[in-house]
Amino acid sequence: MAGADANSPISALAHFALTALAIALAWAWLGKPVQLAPSPLAAGGKLSCISYAPFRDGQDPLVPGTMVSAEQIDQDFALLSRYTDCIRTYSNANGLAQIPAIAKRHGLKVLMGLWLANNPPFNRQQIATAIELAKTFPDVISAVVVGNEVLLRGEMSVNDLRAIIREVKSQVSMPVTYADVWEFWLRYSDLQNDVDFVTIHILPYWEDFPLPASAAAAHVDDIRKKVAAAIPDKEILIGEIGWPSAGRMREAARPSLSNQARVITETLELAKRENFRVNVIEAFDQPWKRALEGSTGRYWGIFDRATQAPKFSFSGLVSDHPDWVQQAAAGIAVAICAFAGAWLFGRGKGAPTYLWSRIAVVTFLPAVLFGWTLETVPVDSIGIGGFLRMLAYAAIVAAAPIVCAIACANGRPRRAFAALLAASPDRRNDRLDLALGVVFIALVLLSVETALGLVFDPRYRDIPFAPQSGAAFAYLVLMLSVPRPAGFRPAAEALAAAVVAVCAIYIAINETFANWQALWLGFGMLGLAVTLMRTRDAPG
């Protein structure tokens, strides 16, 4: 009986209950805390030093006139002094010259940085301020870092840098160093003759060949020993080590809370065992870095100003989805709408056999991924355009299973673009046709934009695998569940299918098969391409 299953409220409720349970179980599994080794801080220890920038939402040091108040810095130090005795700074501009005086009140030492760039007047101001502060606060400033990655950025010659280091060193009483990525210290190892100790940056996530979090501590150990072999007579400070808590994967390097905790914990344990100093990057998330490094750039902080606590527990139990209950609830809400829509608008329409099983299949994966999408909306939204793009993605992954469920209940295939958009008087579109078509067109447009972006400008672009694949899956199931109409394959659909399919293959190769987010997105793109290629419509 084709219609019996569709009209059975017991069958509908049973399938919904099983789908809701599956969504809840999926999120319980995703949100389950990961057991890591306890951090040295769990026993009451402190970080040896941590990078500090005070900028909050709406504050950007790249915008002229940005100034940070003493009160704001004081609030931050009240928190940080509970977890460290030292902070590292990078500049004395934007009100940061107030830091040594405020640090003194909180019992903090300062590894003070002065910023160097291809701007001689700015450099002279930074140098003069740093020297003055070093003379005023010799009991607070433990060392002066003359320049940060200025050689890496290509903004200064090594000879000009050496001259500035010597100038500062001749006028301050504390040790002087220069900070750069480890490769540049190997390239310019003669700089060791101008500094008191060597400061190297090791960021496994940003390496040319990114490493997974599980290999980060071992990588730090290898690199430190390599630099020590090339520069044997100087102390080597790991000036930056850290991991982002959110953002896009780079090969096998996945930003997450558990990976951030793992990298920091295992590196601190290594430093304790091997007796070397480490500075963790960084204290707080920096929203302004999105413009330079994409969404991932914002999420390197390990403390949350709102909660006045670390982002993750130093006890070793860390969940990558701490709000999983709310995310599961959001997915179940989508399932309610899908089942209710199929019941209300599909009764008595000659629904196919095993309708509610089909509705469960259409709904489950997009509902789970809708909850995941809600988590990524604030992460991936860069600017108004990025925010609107992610809202659109969230809307289509929520709407796709609902409209596809109703279409399944009605045995209705999705119409071709040309038939849907035609303005002829005999157009047969009704509200279901329009809903199916509008959501699908939005999915195709967003998918093409995403695909082309990840092909031509991939480094800082996010990978929206959850909303894209969730919505594409719903339409793929619909296409397989209802009879395909006879007719020709429209050119627009064929072109869009070719674009997303070719891009999906390129993205998977370019991001490497270690990047499961890229692979997941690629499968979603290929599923969309299959759906597009199977589109048929009667000749117009």
Side-chain angles (χ1 to χ4, degrees):
M1 293 279 297
D5 184 62
N7 292 319
S8 169
I10 295 177
S11 179
L13 287 173
H15 281 83
F16 166 72
L18 289 173
T19 303
L21 177 61
I23 294 168
L25 290 175
W27 271 109
W29 176 74
L30 289 169
K32 182 181 179 181
V34 178
Q35 180 65 61
L36 304 173
S39 165
L41 276 67
K46 288 190 174 184
L47 296 166
S48 59
C49 204
I50 189 166
S51 293
Y52 172 69
F55 307 105
R56 305 183 183 183
D57 282 317
Q59 295 178 330
D60 186 343
L62 302 180
V63 175
T66 298
M67 292 295 293
V68 177
S69 68
E71 179 183 10
Q72 184 173 314
I73 297 170
D74 189 77
Q75 291 171 356
D76 290 342
F77 286 180
L79 169 60
L80 295 180
S81 61
R82 291 154 46 193
Y83 297 96
T84 185
D85 295 320
C86 166
I87 57 121
R88 178 188 169 187
T89 64
Y90 292 80
S91 170
N92 293 313
N94 309 108
L96 274 67
Q98 306 171 91
I99 284 177
I102 302 171
K104 184 175 183 177
R105 296 201 300 267
H106 289 274
L108 291 169
K109 297 293 185 181
V110 179
L111 186 60
M112 184 182 67
L114 65 91
W115 191 261
L116 296 177
N118 55 354
N119 184 342
F122 174 81
N123 292 346
R124 296 315 310 172
Q125 184 181 37
Q126 283 284 297
I127 293 165
T129 303
I131 292 171
E132 180 183 355
L133 290 172
K135 292 178 177 179
T136 305
F137 299 98
D139 56 335
V140 176
I141 297 171
S142 59
V144 179
V145 185
V146 180
N148 183 76
E149 298 184 353
V150 68
L151 297 178
L152 171 66
R153 298 192 306 275
E155 295 183 354
M156 182 174 287
S157 70
V158 67
N159 289 332
D160 288 343
L161 173 61
R162 295 180 74 173
I164 294 173
I165 292 172
R166 292 169 184 167
E167 176 187 352
V168 173
K169 189 174 178 181
S170 69
Q171 298 188 57
V172 302
S173 59
M174 61 283 298
V176 173
T177 186
Y178 166 68
D180 213 322
V181 295
W182 61 272
E183 296 97 331
F184 274 72
W185 266 108
L186 293 179
R187 185 179 302 179
Y188 300 107
S189 58
D190 284 349
L191 270 174
Q192 65 179 299
N193 300 319
D194 301 290
V195 298
D196 295 298
F197 62 95
V198 171
T199 301
I200 63 173
H201 296 168
I202 307 175
L203 299 173
Y205 175 86
W206 284 126
E207 295 278 14
D208 292 337
F209 299 99
L211 297 170
S214 59
H219 179 66
V220 170
D221 192 35
D222 290 343
I223 295 303
R224 187 184 67 86
K225 290 175 179 176
K226 182 181 293 188
V227 176
I231 308 175
D233 300 324
K234 296 287 184 179
E235 179 197 1
I236 297 170
L237 166 69
I238 309 301
E240 287 185 357
I241 179 65
W243 195 268
S245 61
R248 57 109 77 210
M249 286 185 73
R250 297 189 69 236
E251 298 188 11
R254 180 174 67 91
S256 71
L257 282 173
S258 64
N259 281 340
Q260 183 181 57
R262 179 173 190 172
V263 170
I264 292 171
T265 295
E266 293 183 357
T267 303
L268 291 178
E269 185 60 38
L270 172 69
K272 182 180 179 181
R273 187 170 64 249
E274 298 291 331
N275 193 31
F276 62 86
R277 290 192 295 154
V278 171
N279 175 76
V280 173
I281 183 167
E282 59 190 322
F284 302 105
D285 288 342
Q286 294 297 299
W288 64 275
K289 289 186 178 180
R290 285 181 163 200
L292 303 175
E293 302 172 0
S295 62
T296 308
R298 171 177 182 156
Y299 293 100
W300 289 73
I302 66 172
F303 296 101
D304 188 332
R305 287 188 175 101
T307 62
Q308 289 289 293
K311 286 182 181 178
F312 52 83
S313 170
F314 290 122
S315 67
L317 278 175
V318 183
S319 172
D320 286 336
H321 304 283
D323 298 322
W324 69 268
V325 173
Q326 294 93 315
Q327 291 169 278
I332 292 171
V334 169
I336 291 173
C337 293
F339 275 84
W343 174 256
L344 292 173
F345 299 104
R347 287 182 296 176
K349 302 292 180 63
T353 308
Y354 306 119
L355 170 65
W356 297 113
S357 297
R358 301 183 189 202
I359 301 302
V361 173
V362 164
T363 303
F364 169 70
L365 184 62
V368 172
L369 295 177
F370 175 62
W372 204 320
T373 302
L374 293 180
E375 179 181 287
T376 62
V377 166
V379 175
D380 297 348
S381 298
I382 302 177
I384 296 298
F387 179 67
L388 293 176
R389 172 176 175 267
M390 286 309 300
L391 280 185
Y393 256 133
I396 64 169
V397 73
I402 298 171
V403 296
C404 289
I406 297 172
C408 275
N410 284 268
R412 182 82 64 86
R414 177 189 55 81
R415 301 196 69 189
F417 295 158
L420 182 72
L421 300 175
S424 59
D426 61 343
R427 189 173 77 176
R428 297 180 295 102
N429 297 324
D430 60 13
R431 286 181 295 178
L432 178 55
D433 282 334
L434 288 172
L436 273 175
V438 168
V439 174
F440 189 72
I441 288 171
L443 170 62
V444 172
L445 291 176
L446 286 170
S447 297
V448 170
E449 185 270 342
T450 296
L452 294 176
L454 286 169
V455 167
F456 292 104
D457 185 25
R459 182 173 174 85
Y460 299 124
R461 285 186 175 266
D462 295 299
I463 303 174
F465 66 93
Q468 194 283 333
S469 63
F473 179 80
Y475 277 96
L476 181 64
V477 174
L478 172 66
M479 180 266 295
L480 297 173
S481 298
V482 300
R484 183 173 62 167
F488 67 97
R489 177 184 295 122
E493 278 84 342
L495 177 61
V499 170
V500 295
V502 171
C503 289
I505 295 169
Y506 175 85
I507 291 166
I509 296 172
N510 185 56
E511 297 287 344
T512 78
F513 293 156
N515 188 333
W516 63 259
Q517 291 182 355
L519 291 179
W520 191 316
L521 177 69
F523 282 121
M525 295 283 187
L526 292 176
L528 177 61
V530 170
T531 303
L532 286 163
M533 288 298 292
R534 286 180 58 86
T535 302
R536 295 291 186 275
D537 210 0

